[in-house]
Amino acid sequence: MAGDHTAHAGATLPVDGPPVLMAQALDQSGPMVEWFAERSGAFISGAIQIVLVLIIALIVRAVAGRLIDRAIKRMAASHQRLGNGKLANGVLAKATGNKNARQEQRAETISSVLRSVASVVILGSAIVMILGELGINLGPILLSAGVLGLAIGFGAQSLVQDFLSGVFMLIEDQYGVGDVVDVGDAVGTVEEVSLRVTKIRDLSGGLWYVRNGEIVRVCNMNQGWARAVVEIPLDARVDVAHATEVIERSLDAFAELPGPADQLLERPTAEGVVGIANGAVVFRVMAKTKPGEQWALDRELRGHLKRDFDQAGIRMAHPMQMNTTGNA
């Protein structure tokens, strides 16, 4: 019995049993293990390089975003200081209500666009490097991407044009939300500005959607300062010297009124006679105002001058009618 047990044990469990079994298992899967053993170093090295590429790309993206934000904020602050300096040299330095908000909005929009571009470039480069580490042939991929990009560029020329026009419009600060602009067919107040379209509310309440690529020229009536121009037709028989004296006194009193004093940047000036026609002598008065205040000030100044003319006995012009004999 003992001999049988010994023989049986010797047949099933040799003295070096476990190592022999492992060797047999290794012999059975030898090619796979050898392949893995030969390439394990390359796998580990490639994985480490891929992780490093991703980490470096994320770090560079974050640093680029911070640098872009700081650069745009400094540019906006410099632009604002420059604008205030020009305003102080040319007119009375009175701040506009929405200037800071507009500069902040413009800076945020430009910063967002530049951050997006930087992210695409950095992450795209990282993806190309990772694909190269994986041993993927990049030639056909880059060729296909180039052909696809060319096709999209031809098919979306207007969209690309709108986008580029919007970027340059923001960089050059041509107009912003709240400005009154004339872009051709659409004249009104800007309600929203994006990289593709500009929304303009006209005087009758209509909302215009104008593609940025279609804006060839723009007149901004709210940038820096504005001017109210008032032309007053007086009777042709009026004494010009007396009328000028009345206008000067009226402008002095008008500049001291509480409302106009907050809107004016300079004392209104009488430019003199600018036209004589149809029984009228036309006097011109100009007033430099805060941007956007010219229309309200224009109406108020006309009413103020009319009251002073009535008190001084100066008659306004009226169309001359010819009788049958040809005399007025």
Side-chain angles (χ1 to χ4, degrees):
M1 294 290 292
D4 295 341
H5 178 73
T6 305
H8 179 72
T12 57
L13 184 62
V15 178
D16 297 330
V20 171
L21 292 176
M22 293 178 61
Q24 291 177 355
L26 291 175
D27 290 339
Q28 294 175 359
S29 59
M32 181 180 298
V33 174
E34 290 178 1
W35 181 86
F36 180 79
E38 292 176 356
R39 291 167 175 78
S40 59
F43 283 156
I44 296 174
S45 176
I48 293 175
Q49 291 183 10
I50 291 174
V51 172
L52 287 176
V53 168
L54 289 176
I55 293 175
I56 293 174
L58 293 176
I59 293 175
V60 172
R61 179 173 175 266
V63 172
R66 289 180 176 273
L67 292 177
I68 290 172
D69 287 339
R70 290 183 180 179
I72 294 299
K73 288 180 180 179
R74 288 181 180 179
M75 182 186 71
S78 176
H79 186 275
Q80 185 175 354
R81 289 194 300 269
L82 181 61
N84 291 338
K86 290 182 179 179
L87 187 63
N89 292 332
V91 294
L92 298 177
K94 296 182 179 180
T96 57
N98 61 347
K99 186 176 182 64
N100 292 336
R102 172 178 168 178
Q103 292 293 339
E104 291 177 0
Q105 180 193 29
R106 172 172 168 259
E108 179 61 29
T109 304
I110 296 175
S111 178
S112 176
V113 173
L114 293 180
R115 287 199 305 268
S116 298
V117 173
S119 297
V120 170
V121 172
I122 294 171
L123 296 180
S125 301
I127 291 174
V128 171
M129 295 175 65
I130 291 173
L131 292 177
E133 285 294 330
L134 295 176
I136 299 175
N137 187 7
L138 299 178
I141 297 178
L142 296 177
L143 181 61
S144 300
V147 173
L148 181 61
L150 188 62
I152 294 176
F154 276 114
Q157 292 184 37
S158 60
L159 184 62
V160 175
Q161 183 181 3
D162 295 339
F163 180 84
L164 292 178
S165 298
V167 170
F168 283 109
M169 179 271 297
L170 289 172
I171 293 176
E172 296 170 0
D173 194 21
Q174 297 177 10
Y175 54 83
V177 175
D179 287 348
V180 179
V181 298
D182 179 355
V183 296
D185 293 332
V187 180
T189 304
V190 177
E191 288 197 350
E192 184 177 338
V193 179
S194 66
L195 292 178
R196 195 179 73 85
V197 297
T198 296
K199 297 180 182 179
I200 301 175
R201 182 80 63 177
D202 63 18
L203 186 62
S204 61
L207 185 62
W208 292 71
Y209 291 80
V210 184
R211 286 173 39 206
N212 294 330
E214 293 182 344
I215 300 177
V216 181
R217 51 86 176 164
V218 56
C219 174
N220 191 334
M221 306 176 194
N222 285 64
Q223 206 164 44
W225 54 271
R227 178 177 285 139
V229 180
V230 178
E231 293 187 350
I232 313 153
L234 302 179
D235 192 281
R237 293 165 291 186
V238 74
D239 184 353
V240 173
H242 176 58
T244 302
E245 183 180 348
V246 172
I247 291 174
E248 292 288 353
R249 290 201 304 267
S250 180
L251 295 179
D252 288 336
F254 182 77
E256 298 298 328
L257 295 176
D262 293 333
Q263 299 171 343
L264 289 169
L265 297 175
E266 287 181 351
R267 175 192 176 277
T269 58
E271 302 297 319
V273 178
V274 295
I276 302 175
N278 195 24
V281 178
V282 181
F283 281 79
R284 176 179 293 169
V285 174
M286 294 194 300
K288 190 169 289 187
T289 73
K290 292 180 180 180
E293 303 290 346
Q294 61 267 38
W295 298 286
L297 193 71
D298 181 290
R299 295 189 295 268
E300 195 169 353
L301 181 56
R302 288 179 187 274
H304 183 81
L305 289 170
K306 178 62 169 63
R307 288 190 295 269
D308 287 347
F309 286 149
D310 292 342
Q311 293 177 2
I314 297 177
R315 298 178 59 187
M316 305 298 294
H318 59 278
M320 298 181 64
Q321 297 181 354
M322 306 297 294
N323 55 27
T324 55
T325 60
N327 297 322

